[in-house]
Amino acid sequence: FPTTTSTTTKLYSLKPAAIPLMDSGKALARSGEILIDYTSTLNLYGGGLSAAGANIRNCGDAVAQAAASCRFKTGAELVCDELRNGGDSLKEAVDKLKLAVEECMVEERTVYLAPLVESTVNPMESSSIALEAAGASIQQRRPIADVGEELYKCACSLEQLAMAIQQFDVDAKEPKECSTRMMFASTKMKEAGDELRGKKDKPKPKGKSWIKG
């Protein structure tokens, strides 16, 4: 009969993902702050788009907190909760983005932005689903590779989201900076996912070390 691995043991095996996941969370939180700043430039501060930025920031904070808890054997419940909270924040952002699309249609000066904002809805939703699933995988005591797989899926969706945000205004600095930070967050989350999936690149042998063995 297969043995059931405890949540504590699973958490301990999450430890290698802690550092890249921390970097990812911090970068994601910063990307959300930059998006909020951009709404001030557009005179859309306080609307759906800035609220979505706040949700992204909150998600980044949750991911960073999850990463911090990965270092401790007794933090399984915290890691699970924080990842799911992060997923909930992105889920809320989906609704805020839909609201932002409607708001952009109100004034002629922002009508051009409506379809661009709309293009972020699907990757945002995919990110939220995958991140929540990563947390749920821990709670359900699924194989650690499953947690990594969901983190990797989330990272891929964040990459698509970053590219969509950059298209908001190719000449403005905020969308580019937001996209750059989010892309970095995606890269680091992929690294965290690979750590858990066991797919990280192994260093190539140097010199004639390949002869040994």
Side-chain angles (χ1 to χ4, degrees):
F1 295 97
T3 57
T4 301
T5 307
S6 69
T7 304
T8 301
T9 303
K10 284 182 175 297
L11 180 69
Y12 186 70
S13 60
L14 283 172
K15 190 174 181 180
I19 293 177
L21 199 60
M22 175 66 75
D23 291 340
S24 176
K26 289 180 177 179
L28 188 60
R30 180 59 187 145
S31 72
E33 293 174 350
I34 296 172
L35 185 58
I36 295 172
D37 292 341
Y38 180 53
T39 63
S40 296
T41 304
L42 295 172
N43 291 322
L44 290 174
Y45 183 80
L49 192 57
S50 60
N55 288 136
I56 294 171
R57 179 190 61 202
N58 293 343
C59 176
D61 289 341
V63 170
Q65 186 58 53
S69 298
C70 280
R71 301 171 185 271
F72 305 102
K73 294 181 181 180
T74 56
E77 187 175 346
L78 288 174
V79 177
C80 172
D81 288 346
E82 292 296 348
L83 290 179
R84 300 186 81 170
N85 287 340
D88 285 342
S89 291
L90 295 184
K91 184 178 180 180
E92 290 176 14
V94 171
D95 293 332
K96 298 304 181 183
L97 287 175
K98 292 178 180 178
L99 174 62
V101 173
E102 296 176 5
E103 292 172 343
C104 288
M105 294 295 291
V106 173
E107 295 189 42
E108 186 175 348
R109 65 181 181 83
T110 55
V111 168
Y112 78 94
L113 196 56
L116 298 174
V117 173
E118 190 171 20
S119 70
T120 65
V121 172
N122 285 340
M124 183 75 80
E125 186 170 23
S126 298
S127 299
S128 73
I129 293 172
L131 193 57
E132 198 281 334
S137 295
I138 298 173
Q139 184 181 45
Q140 296 164 4
R141 299 184 179 184
R142 285 162 52 190
I144 199 66
D146 288 2
V147 181
E149 191 66 34
E150 296 300 343
L151 287 176
Y152 196 89
K153 289 179 182 177
C154 179
C156 291
S157 294
L158 287 177
E159 182 179 3
Q160 295 175 355
L161 180 61
M163 291 188 290
I165 290 175
Q166 188 171 4
Q167 297 305 309
F168 283 3
D169 189 337
V170 294
D171 296 321
K173 69 175 184 177
E174 291 93 348
K176 183 177 181 179
E177 289 179 0
C178 176
S179 176
T180 298
R181 298 312 300 165
M182 190 174 290
M183 196 69 77
F184 180 77
S186 167
T187 298
K188 288 300 178 179
M189 190 174 287
K190 284 182 180 179
E191 289 180 16
D194 281 343
E195 287 284 355
L196 303 183
R197 297 193 306 166
K199 294 187 178 182
K200 62 178 181 178
D201 294 332
K202 296 181 179 179
K204 295 181 180 180
K206 296 180 180 180
K208 297 182 179 180
S209 59
W210 57 273
I211 296 177
K212 297 179 182 180

mmCIF file of all heavy atoms in Angstrom, residues 38-87:
data_model
loop_
_atom_site.group_PDB
_atom_site.id
_atom_site.type_symbol
_atom_site.label_atom_id
_atom_site.label_comp_id
_atom_site.label_asym_id
_atom_site.label_seq_id
_atom_site.Cartn_x
_atom_site.Cartn_y
_atom_site.Cartn_z
ATOM 1 N N TYR A 38 0.470 54.186 -12.677
ATOM 2 C CA TYR A 38 0.080 54.453 -14.061
ATOM 3 C C TYR A 38 -1.336 54.996 -14.144
ATOM 4 O O TYR A 38 -1.630 55.865 -14.968
ATOM 5 C CB TYR A 38 0.209 53.163 -14.878
ATOM 6 C CG TYR A 38 -0.171 53.307 -16.332
ATOM 7 C CD1 TYR A 38 0.414 54.293 -17.130
ATOM 8 C CD2 TYR A 38 -1.097 52.458 -16.929
ATOM 9 C CE1 TYR A 38 0.081 54.421 -18.472
ATOM 10 C CE2 TYR A 38 -1.440 52.566 -18.260
ATOM 11 C CZ TYR A 38 -0.845 53.558 -19.027
ATOM 12 O OH TYR A 38 -1.181 53.684 -20.361
ATOM 13 N N THR A 39 -2.215 54.511 -13.281
ATOM 14 C CA THR A 39 -3.601 54.998 -13.308
ATOM 15 C C THR A 39 -3.675 56.470 -12.906
ATOM 16 O O THR A 39 -4.584 57.181 -13.342
ATOM 17 C CB THR A 39 -4.508 54.166 -12.375
ATOM 18 O OG1 THR A 39 -4.070 54.298 -11.019
ATOM 19 C CG2 THR A 39 -4.497 52.707 -12.776
ATOM 20 N N SER A 40 -2.734 56.920 -12.084
ATOM 21 C CA SER A 40 -2.685 58.336 -11.723
ATOM 22 C C SER A 40 -2.346 59.171 -12.951
ATOM 23 O O SER A 40 -2.907 60.242 -13.170
ATOM 24 C CB SER A 40 -1.649 58.576 -10.614
ATOM 25 O OG SER A 40 -2.022 57.911 -9.423
ATOM 26 N N THR A 41 -1.424 58.656 -13.756
ATOM 27 C CA THR A 41 -1.036 59.340 -14.990
ATOM 28 C C THR A 41 -2.212 59.463 -15.945
ATOM 29 O O THR A 41 -2.366 60.471 -16.650
ATOM 30 C CB THR A 41 0.105 58.564 -15.694
ATOM 31 O OG1 THR A 41 1.202 58.417 -14.794
ATOM 32 C CG2 THR A 41 0.577 59.303 -16.945
ATOM 33 N N LEU A 42 -3.071 58.451 -15.932
ATOM 34 C CA LEU A 42 -4.233 58.434 -16.828
ATOM 35 C C LEU A 42 -5.453 59.136 -16.237
ATOM 36 O O LEU A 42 -6.495 59.215 -16.888
ATOM 37 C CB LEU A 42 -4.615 56.978 -17.139
ATOM 38 C CG LEU A 42 -3.619 56.123 -17.920
ATOM 39 C CD1 LEU A 42 -4.099 54.685 -17.956
ATOM 40 C CD2 LEU A 42 -3.435 56.664 -19.329
ATOM 41 N N ASN A 43 -5.313 59.620 -15.013
ATOM 42 C CA ASN A 43 -6.456 60.187 -14.280
ATOM 43 C C ASN A 43 -7.555 59.152 -14.088
ATOM 44 O O ASN A 43 -8.750 59.470 -14.127
ATOM 45 C CB ASN A 43 -7.013 61.423 -14.997
ATOM 46 C CG ASN A 43 -6.059 62.604 -14.953
ATOM 47 O OD1 ASN A 43 -5.392 62.834 -13.942
ATOM 48 N ND2 ASN A 43 -5.997 63.348 -16.040
ATOM 49 N N LEU A 44 -7.138 57.905 -13.883
ATOM 50 C CA LEU A 44 -8.073 56.812 -13.626
ATOM 51 C C LEU A 44 -7.881 56.243 -12.221
ATOM 52 O O LEU A 44 -8.389 55.170 -11.901
ATOM 53 C CB LEU A 44 -7.882 55.685 -14.643
ATOM 54 C CG LEU A 44 -8.315 55.968 -16.085
ATOM 55 C CD1 LEU A 44 -7.927 54.808 -16.984
ATOM 56 C CD2 LEU A 44 -9.818 56.212 -16.155
ATOM 57 N N TYR A 45 -7.141 56.976 -11.395
ATOM 58 C CA TYR A 45 -6.854 56.489 -10.042
ATOM 59 C C TYR A 45 -8.153 56.317 -9.254
ATOM 60 O O TYR A 45 -9.044 57.163 -9.311
ATOM 61 C CB TYR A 45 -5.935 57.461 -9.303
ATOM 62 C CG TYR A 45 -5.537 56.978 -7.929
ATOM 63 C CD1 TYR A 45 -4.524 56.038 -7.776
ATOM 64 C CD2 TYR A 45 -6.184 57.435 -6.788
ATOM 65 C CE1 TYR A 45 -4.156 55.571 -6.531
ATOM 66 C CE2 TYR A 45 -5.828 56.978 -5.528
ATOM 67 C CZ TYR A 45 -4.822 56.045 -5.407
ATOM 68 O OH TYR A 45 -4.471 55.592 -4.170
ATOM 69 N N GLY A 46 -8.238 55.211 -8.537
ATOM 70 C CA GLY A 46 -9.433 54.947 -7.744
ATOM 71 C C GLY A 46 -10.458 54.094 -8.466
ATOM 72 O O GLY A 46 -11.457 53.691 -7.876
ATOM 73 N N GLY A 47 -10.198 53.809 -9.723
ATOM 74 C CA GLY A 47 -11.121 52.994 -10.509
ATOM 75 C C GLY A 47 -10.726 51.533 -10.533
ATOM 76 O O GLY A 47 -9.931 51.065 -9.709
ATOM 77 N N GLY A 48 -11.281 50.811 -11.492
ATOM 78 C CA GLY A 48 -11.046 49.376 -11.584
ATOM 79 C C GLY A 48 -9.605 48.992 -11.830
ATOM 80 O O GLY A 48 -9.108 48.017 -11.258
ATOM 81 N N LEU A 49 -8.905 49.776 -12.678
ATOM 82 C CA LEU A 49 -7.532 49.424 -13.018
ATOM 83 C C LEU A 49 -6.595 49.587 -11.822
ATOM 84 O O LEU A 49 -5.712 48.748 -11.591
ATOM 85 C CB LEU A 49 -7.049 50.276 -14.193
ATOM 86 C CG LEU A 49 -5.732 49.840 -14.853
ATOM 87 C CD1 LEU A 49 -5.825 48.394 -15.331
ATOM 88 C CD2 LEU A 49 -5.386 50.764 -16.021
ATOM 89 N N SER A 50 -6.776 50.650 -11.065
ATOM 90 C CA SER A 50 -5.928 50.841 -9.880
ATOM 91 C C SER A 50 -6.262 49.794 -8.814
ATOM 92 O O SER A 50 -5.378 49.324 -8.087
ATOM 93 C CB SER A 50 -6.092 52.254 -9.310
ATOM 94 O OG SER A 50 -7.427 52.517 -8.931
ATOM 95 N N ALA A 51 -7.534 49.413 -8.729
ATOM 96 C CA ALA A 51 -7.934 48.359 -7.788
ATOM 97 C C ALA A 51 -7.287 47.031 -8.176
ATOM 98 O O ALA A 51 -6.848 46.256 -7.311
ATOM 99 C CB ALA A 51 -9.448 48.215 -7.751
ATOM 100 N N ALA A 52 -7.211 46.772 -9.480
ATOM 101 C CA ALA A 52 -6.545 45.556 -9.958
ATOM 102 C C ALA A 52 -5.067 45.592 -9.596
ATOM 103 O O ALA A 52 -4.483 44.570 -9.220
ATOM 104 C CB ALA A 52 -6.717 45.424 -11.474
ATOM 105 N N GLY A 53 -4.470 46.777 -9.707
ATOM 106 C CA GLY A 53 -3.069 46.924 -9.310
ATOM 107 C C GLY A 53 -2.873 46.609 -7.839
ATOM 108 O O GLY A 53 -1.899 45.964 -7.444
ATOM 109 N N ALA A 54 -3.817 47.061 -7.015
ATOM 110 C CA ALA A 54 -3.754 46.782 -5.582
ATOM 111 C C ALA A 54 -3.895 45.282 -5.322
ATOM 112 O O ALA A 54 -3.217 44.723 -4.451
ATOM 113 C CB ALA A 54 -4.853 47.548 -4.846
ATOM 114 N N ASN A 55 -4.754 44.621 -6.091
ATOM 115 C CA ASN A 55 -4.915 43.172 -5.955
ATOM 116 C C ASN A 55 -3.622 42.433 -6.323
ATOM 117 O O ASN A 55 -3.248 41.454 -5.670
ATOM 118 C CB ASN A 55 -6.053 42.676 -6.839
ATOM 119 C CG ASN A 55 -7.429 43.061 -6.337
ATOM 120 O OD1 ASN A 55 -8.284 43.490 -7.110
ATOM 121 N ND2 ASN A 55 -7.660 42.924 -5.042
ATOM 122 N N ILE A 56 -2.962 42.895 -7.374
ATOM 123 C CA ILE A 56 -1.694 42.296 -7.787
ATOM 124 C C ILE A 56 -0.649 42.482 -6.693
ATOM 125 O O ILE A 56 0.111 41.568 -6.361
ATOM 126 C CB ILE A 56 -1.199 42.909 -9.114
ATOM 127 C CG1 ILE A 56 -2.153 42.543 -10.254
ATOM 128 C CG2 ILE A 56 0.224 42.431 -9.436
ATOM 129 C CD1 ILE A 56 -1.869 43.266 -11.556
ATOM 130 N N ARG A 57 -0.609 43.676 -6.117
ATOM 131 C CA ARG A 57 0.322 43.953 -5.011
ATOM 132 C C ARG A 57 0.039 43.030 -3.836
ATOM 133 O O ARG A 57 0.961 42.450 -3.248
ATOM 134 C CB ARG A 57 0.188 45.404 -4.569
ATOM 135 C CG ARG A 57 1.100 45.797 -3.397
ATOM 136 C CD ARG A 57 0.723 47.167 -2.882
ATOM 137 N NE ARG A 57 -0.659 47.172 -2.396
ATOM 138 C CZ ARG A 57 -1.404 48.273 -2.276
ATOM 139 N NH1 ARG A 57 -0.910 49.450 -2.622
ATOM 140 N NH2 ARG A 57 -2.639 48.202 -1.815
ATOM 141 N N ASN A 58 -1.229 42.874 -3.501
ATOM 142 C CA ASN A 58 -1.603 42.008 -2.384
ATOM 143 C C ASN A 58 -1.223 40.553 -2.655
ATOM 144 O O ASN A 58 -0.798 39.834 -1.753
ATOM 145 C CB ASN A 58 -3.109 42.111 -2.119
ATOM 146 C CG ASN A 58 -3.511 43.475 -1.604
ATOM 147 O OD1 ASN A 58 -2.679 44.261 -1.150
ATOM 148 N ND2 ASN A 58 -4.798 43.790 -1.680
ATOM 149 N N CYS A 59 -1.383 40.139 -3.896
ATOM 150 C CA CYS A 59 -1.000 38.782 -4.268
ATOM 151 C C CYS A 59 0.502 38.593 -4.096
ATOM 152 O O CYS A 59 0.952 37.571 -3.566
ATOM 153 C CB CYS A 59 -1.401 38.496 -5.713
ATOM 154 S SG CYS A 59 -0.859 36.870 -6.300
ATOM 155 N N GLY A 60 1.267 39.573 -4.545
ATOM 156 C CA GLY A 60 2.719 39.497 -4.400
ATOM 157 C C GLY A 60 3.131 39.387 -2.938
ATOM 158 O O GLY A 60 4.016 38.599 -2.579
ATOM 159 N N ASP A 61 2.478 40.166 -2.094
ATOM 160 C CA ASP A 61 2.762 40.102 -0.654
ATOM 161 C C ASP A 61 2.445 38.708 -0.107
ATOM 162 O O ASP A 61 3.186 38.175 0.724
ATOM 163 C CB ASP A 61 1.934 41.151 0.097
ATOM 164 C CG ASP A 61 2.408 42.574 -0.161
ATOM 165 O OD1 ASP A 61 3.561 42.742 -0.619
ATOM 166 O OD2 ASP A 61 1.625 43.514 0.087
ATOM 167 N N ALA A 62 1.335 38.129 -0.568
ATOM 168 C CA ALA A 62 0.947 36.795 -0.105
ATOM 169 C C ALA A 62 1.944 35.732 -0.556
ATOM 170 O O ALA A 62 2.304 34.829 0.212
ATOM 171 C CB ALA A 62 -0.458 36.452 -0.618
ATOM 172 N N VAL A 63 2.399 35.848 -1.792
ATOM 173 C CA VAL A 63 3.386 34.896 -2.322
ATOM 174 C C VAL A 63 4.698 35.002 -1.543
ATOM 175 O O VAL A 63 5.319 33.992 -1.204
ATOM 176 C CB VAL A 63 3.633 35.144 -3.825
ATOM 177 C CG1 VAL A 63 4.829 34.330 -4.320
ATOM 178 C CG2 VAL A 63 2.394 34.779 -4.638
ATOM 179 N N ALA A 64 5.110 36.239 -1.239
ATOM 180 C CA ALA A 64 6.334 36.435 -0.467
ATOM 181 C C ALA A 64 6.193 35.841 0.937
ATOM 182 O O ALA A 64 7.137 35.243 1.467
ATOM 183 C CB ALA A 64 6.676 37.921 -0.383
ATOM 184 N N GLN A 65 5.025 36.012 1.529
ATOM 185 C CA GLN A 65 4.793 35.446 2.861
ATOM 186 C C GLN A 65 4.789 33.918 2.807
ATOM 187 O O GLN A 65 5.298 33.255 3.711
ATOM 188 C CB GLN A 65 3.461 35.950 3.422
ATOM 189 C CG GLN A 65 3.204 35.524 4.863
ATOM 190 C CD GLN A 65 4.289 35.989 5.808
ATOM 191 O OE1 GLN A 65 4.624 37.174 5.865
ATOM 192 N NE2 GLN A 65 4.861 35.057 6.552
ATOM 193 N N ALA A 66 4.219 33.373 1.741
ATOM 194 C CA ALA A 66 4.241 31.919 1.565
ATOM 195 C C ALA A 66 5.681 31.424 1.459
ATOM 196 O O ALA A 66 6.047 30.400 2.046
ATOM 197 C CB ALA A 66 3.454 31.531 0.315
ATOM 198 N N ALA A 67 6.494 32.174 0.717
ATOM 199 C CA ALA A 67 7.900 31.799 0.554
ATOM 200 C C ALA A 67 8.628 31.805 1.893
ATOM 201 O O ALA A 67 9.430 30.916 2.187
ATOM 202 C CB ALA A 67 8.584 32.764 -0.421
ATOM 203 N N ALA A 68 8.338 32.808 2.710
ATOM 204 C CA ALA A 68 8.973 32.891 4.033
ATOM 205 C C ALA A 68 8.601 31.692 4.889
ATOM 206 O O ALA A 68 9.428 31.147 5.628
ATOM 207 C CB ALA A 68 8.568 34.190 4.726
ATOM 208 N N SER A 69 7.352 31.253 4.789
ATOM 209 C CA SER A 69 6.875 30.120 5.589
ATOM 210 C C SER A 69 7.412 28.791 5.075
ATOM 211 O O SER A 69 7.429 27.803 5.806
ATOM 212 C CB SER A 69 5.343 30.102 5.595
ATOM 213 O OG SER A 69 4.818 31.275 6.190
ATOM 214 N N CYS A 70 7.844 28.762 3.813
ATOM 215 C CA CYS A 70 8.406 27.539 3.247
ATOM 216 C C CYS A 70 9.675 27.099 3.989
ATOM 217 O O CYS A 70 10.054 25.930 3.932
ATOM 218 C CB CYS A 70 8.761 27.737 1.771
ATOM 219 S SG CYS A 70 7.387 27.625 0.626
ATOM 220 N N ARG A 71 10.307 28.029 4.661
ATOM 221 C CA ARG A 71 11.568 27.732 5.336
ATOM 222 C C ARG A 71 11.360 26.917 6.609
ATOM 223 O O ARG A 71 12.308 26.353 7.142
ATOM 224 C CB ARG A 71 12.294 29.038 5.684
ATOM 225 C CG ARG A 71 12.614 29.897 4.470
ATOM 226 C CD ARG A 71 13.139 31.272 4.909
ATOM 227 N NE ARG A 71 13.334 32.165 3.783
ATOM 228 C CZ ARG A 71 14.443 32.271 3.081
ATOM 229 N NH1 ARG A 71 15.480 31.512 3.402
ATOM 230 N NH2 ARG A 71 14.546 33.112 2.082
ATOM 231 N N PHE A 72 10.133 26.882 7.098
ATOM 232 C CA PHE A 72 9.866 26.235 8.380
ATOM 233 C C PHE A 72 9.037 24.967 8.211
ATOM 234 O O PHE A 72 8.048 24.956 7.487
ATOM 235 C CB PHE A 72 9.142 27.209 9.314
ATOM 236 C CG PHE A 72 9.880 28.503 9.509
ATOM 237 C CD1 PHE A 72 9.492 29.650 8.837
ATOM 238 C CD2 PHE A 72 10.977 28.567 10.357
ATOM 239 C CE1 PHE A 72 10.183 30.845 8.996
ATOM 240 C CE2 PHE A 72 11.675 29.756 10.529
ATOM 241 C CZ PHE A 72 11.281 30.894 9.850
ATOM 242 N N LYS A 73 9.426 23.922 8.915
ATOM 243 C CA LYS A 73 8.735 22.636 8.799
ATOM 244 C C LYS A 73 7.287 22.713 9.279
ATOM 245 O O LYS A 73 6.448 21.940 8.863
ATOM 246 C CB LYS A 73 9.485 21.576 9.602
ATOM 247 C CG LYS A 73 10.870 21.245 9.072
ATOM 248 C CD LYS A 73 11.516 20.161 9.917
ATOM 249 C CE LYS A 73 12.908 19.822 9.418
ATOM 250 N NZ LYS A 73 13.550 18.760 10.224
ATOM 251 N N THR A 74 7.023 23.642 10.192
ATOM 252 C CA THR A 74 5.682 23.731 10.780
ATOM 253 C C THR A 74 4.785 24.751 10.090
ATOM 254 O O THR A 74 3.715 25.079 10.590
ATOM 255 C CB THR A 74 5.798 24.110 12.267
ATOM 256 O OG1 THR A 74 6.535 25.343 12.380
ATOM 257 C CG2 THR A 74 6.504 23.026 13.049
ATOM 258 N N GLY A 75 5.222 25.263 8.953
ATOM 259 C CA GLY A 75 4.459 26.328 8.298
ATOM 260 C C GLY A 75 3.555 25.898 7.167
ATOM 261 O O GLY A 75 3.119 26.726 6.373
ATOM 262 N N ALA A 76 3.262 24.606 7.072
ATOM 263 C CA ALA A 76 2.482 24.096 5.935
ATOM 264 C C ALA A 76 1.155 24.814 5.765
ATOM 265 O O ALA A 76 0.781 25.207 4.661
ATOM 266 C CB ALA A 76 2.235 22.594 6.107
ATOM 267 N N GLU A 77 0.455 25.000 6.872
ATOM 268 C CA GLU A 77 -0.860 25.632 6.792
ATOM 269 C C GLU A 77 -0.742 27.070 6.316
ATOM 270 O O GLU A 77 -1.573 27.548 5.538
ATOM 271 C CB GLU A 77 -1.541 25.589 8.170
ATOM 272 C CG GLU A 77 -2.979 26.073 8.139
ATOM 273 C CD GLU A 77 -3.686 25.909 9.477
ATOM 274 O OE1 GLU A 77 -3.161 25.196 10.345
ATOM 275 O OE2 GLU A 77 -4.761 26.507 9.644
ATOM 276 N N LEU A 78 0.303 27.753 6.761
ATOM 277 C CA LEU A 78 0.516 29.142 6.343
ATOM 278 C C LEU A 78 0.820 29.231 4.854
ATOM 279 O O LEU A 78 0.302 30.104 4.156
ATOM 280 C CB LEU A 78 1.661 29.773 7.145
ATOM 281 C CG LEU A 78 1.367 30.098 8.602
ATOM 282 C CD1 LEU A 78 2.634 30.580 9.303
ATOM 283 C CD2 LEU A 78 0.273 31.162 8.697
ATOM 284 N N VAL A 79 1.671 28.334 4.368
ATOM 285 C CA VAL A 79 2.001 28.335 2.938
ATOM 286 C C VAL A 79 0.746 28.104 2.106
ATOM 287 O O VAL A 79 0.484 28.816 1.138
ATOM 288 C CB VAL A 79 3.048 27.244 2.605
ATOM 289 C CG1 VAL A 79 3.320 27.209 1.100
ATOM 290 C CG2 VAL A 79 4.336 27.504 3.356
ATOM 291 N N CYS A 80 -0.022 27.130 2.506
ATOM 292 C CA CYS A 80 -1.278 26.817 1.814
ATOM 293 C C CYS A 80 -2.200 28.028 1.798
ATOM 294 O O CYS A 80 -2.712 28.423 0.746
ATOM 295 C CB CYS A 80 -1.955 25.637 2.497
ATOM 296 S SG CYS A 80 -3.611 25.283 1.889
ATOM 297 N N ASP A 81 -2.401 28.621 2.977
ATOM 298 C CA ASP A 81 -3.318 29.754 3.093
ATOM 299 C C ASP A 81 -2.857 30.947 2.271
ATOM 300 O O ASP A 81 -3.660 31.609 1.603
ATOM 301 C CB ASP A 81 -3.471 30.166 4.559
ATOM 302 C CG ASP A 81 -4.279 29.168 5.366
ATOM 303 O OD1 ASP A 81 -4.933 28.314 4.751
ATOM 304 O OD2 ASP A 81 -4.251 29.248 6.611
ATOM 305 N N GLU A 82 -1.563 31.249 2.331
ATOM 306 C CA GLU A 82 -1.050 32.424 1.618
ATOM 307 C C GLU A 82 -1.142 32.264 0.106
ATOM 308 O O GLU A 82 -1.479 33.207 -0.617
ATOM 309 C CB GLU A 82 0.395 32.720 2.036
ATOM 310 C CG GLU A 82 0.544 33.185 3.480
ATOM 311 C CD GLU A 82 -0.142 34.514 3.762
ATOM 312 O OE1 GLU A 82 -0.544 35.219 2.807
ATOM 313 O OE2 GLU A 82 -0.287 34.854 4.948
ATOM 314 N N LEU A 83 -0.846 31.074 -0.392
ATOM 315 C CA LEU A 83 -0.960 30.848 -1.838
ATOM 316 C C LEU A 83 -2.410 30.970 -2.290
ATOM 317 O O LEU A 83 -2.700 31.564 -3.337
ATOM 318 C CB LEU A 83 -0.409 29.468 -2.209
ATOM 319 C CG LEU A 83 1.106 29.284 -2.105
ATOM 320 C CD1 LEU A 83 1.496 27.864 -2.489
ATOM 321 C CD2 LEU A 83 1.845 30.291 -2.981
ATOM 322 N N ARG A 84 -3.320 30.448 -1.487
ATOM 323 C CA ARG A 84 -4.734 30.537 -1.846
ATOM 324 C C ARG A 84 -5.239 31.971 -1.715
ATOM 325 O O ARG A 84 -6.076 32.417 -2.513
ATOM 326 C CB ARG A 84 -5.558 29.581 -0.988
ATOM 327 C CG ARG A 84 -5.134 28.122 -1.164
ATOM 328 C CD ARG A 84 -6.027 27.138 -0.441
ATOM 329 N NE ARG A 84 -7.225 26.870 -1.221
ATOM 330 C CZ ARG A 84 -8.094 25.915 -0.936
ATOM 331 N NH1 ARG A 84 -7.894 25.142 0.117
ATOM 332 N NH2 ARG A 84 -9.165 25.736 -1.687
ATOM 333 N N ASN A 85 -4.728 32.690 -0.721
ATOM 334 C CA ASN A 85 -5.079 34.107 -0.597
ATOM 335 C C ASN A 85 -4.590 34.888 -1.804
ATOM 336 O O ASN A 85 -5.276 35.796 -2.301
ATOM 337 C CB ASN A 85 -4.475 34.699 0.677
ATOM 338 C CG ASN A 85 -5.190 34.229 1.935
ATOM 339 O OD1 ASN A 85 -6.327 33.775 1.866
ATOM 340 N ND2 ASN A 85 -4.530 34.345 3.080
ATOM 341 N N GLY A 86 -3.393 34.539 -2.262
ATOM 342 C CA GLY A 86 -2.860 35.189 -3.461
ATOM 343 C C GLY A 86 -3.734 34.918 -4.664
ATOM 344 O O GLY A 86 -4.013 35.815 -5.470
ATOM 345 N N GLY A 87 -4.200 33.677 -4.781
ATOM 346 C CA GLY A 87 -5.104 33.333 -5.870
ATOM 347 C C GLY A 87 -6.411 34.103 -5.786
ATOM 348 O O GLY A 87 -6.939 34.565 -6.798
#
